[in-house]
Amino acid sequence: GLRLEWLFENGHLPVDLKNLASCIRQDGNDGVHDGNLGQEDAEDLRDFSYELLRRLYSDPKRIEIAEARRIARREGKT
């Protein structure tokens, strides 16, 4: 839990994912100490993981591609 807080406070994780991230600590503890995760827990973890990976990898590339299209549209125009 403290590591996640540090990651958000220091800008290493997008702040808008903070609420979704609360499941990481809670469900992780349940999985490690109790040895069980339910379907809802797994879906929470999946949602956080999907959104985090999308924000870190997909979105920057999509923006890069859009920027390249914008530049290509303006090439040749004076």
Side-chain angles (χ1 to χ4, degrees), residues 10-11 15-17 21 29 32-33 39 41-42 46 58 60 71 74:
N10 290 283
V15 176
D16 59 342
L17 294 180
N29 280 343
V32 169
H33 297 292
Q39 181 70 30
D41 302 324
R46 182 203 55 196
S58 299
I71 291 169
R74 281 153 179 75

Side-chain angles (χ1 to χ4, degrees), residues 36-47:
N36 63 353
L37 287 177
Q39 181 70 30
E40 291 174 343
D41 302 324
E43 290 174 1
D44 288 346
L45 294 168
R46 182 203 55 196
D47 283 346

Side-chain angles (χ1 to χ4, degrees), residues 44-60:
D44 288 346
L45 294 168
R46 182 203 55 196
D47 283 346
F48 173 77
S49 299
Y50 177 86
E51 292 304 325
L52 177 63
L53 292 171
R54 183 183 64 80
R55 292 288 306 275
L56 294 178
Y57 296 103
S58 299
D59 286 356

Side-chain angles (χ1 to χ4, degrees), residues 3-4 14 17-18 27-28 34 44-45 50 61 72 75 78:
R3 290 181 193 126
L4 279 173
L17 294 180
K18 193 171 185 176
D27 294 343
D34 298 336
D44 288 346
L45 294 168
Y50 177 86
K61 187 63 176 179
E75 283 182 350
T78 56

Side-chain angles (χ1 to χ4, degrees), residues 24 50 65 67:
I24 299 298
Y50 177 86
I65 291 169
E67 178 68 12

